[in-house]
Amino acid sequence: MKKPSFLSVIVGSGFGFGFSPVAPGTMGALLATLVWFGLSYLVSSACLLWLTVILILVFTFAGIW
């Protein structure tokens, strides 16, 4: 089996948070929450809604790839 590329491993593991020895899924969710809260202070509510939808779609398809 071919070794996956570095980019696909990084995206699929939540930028490495998924490799945490303690609660890897929780660490990935924590990263997403921190990014979302950071964005909520930078953009308006309407923009945040669309940006959230776009980021969910982008990272879903990138994770599937």
Side-chain angles (χ1 to χ4, degrees), residues 2-64:
K2 188 173 120 177
K3 184 177 178 182
S5 70
F6 179 71
L7 179 62
S8 63
V9 170
I10 291 297
V11 170
S13 68
F15 297 99
F17 276 66
F19 293 128
S20 171
V22 178
T26 303
M27 292 301 156
L30 178 64
L31 171 67
T33 302
L34 292 175
V35 169
W36 191 84
F37 274 125
L39 287 173
S40 71
Y41 288 108
L42 297 175
V43 297
S44 68
S45 296
C47 183
L48 182 63
L49 173 67
W50 287 108
L51 192 57
T52 301
V53 170
I54 291 168
L55 287 174
I56 287 170
L57 291 173
V58 166
F59 281 102
T60 296
F61 286 115
I64 291 170

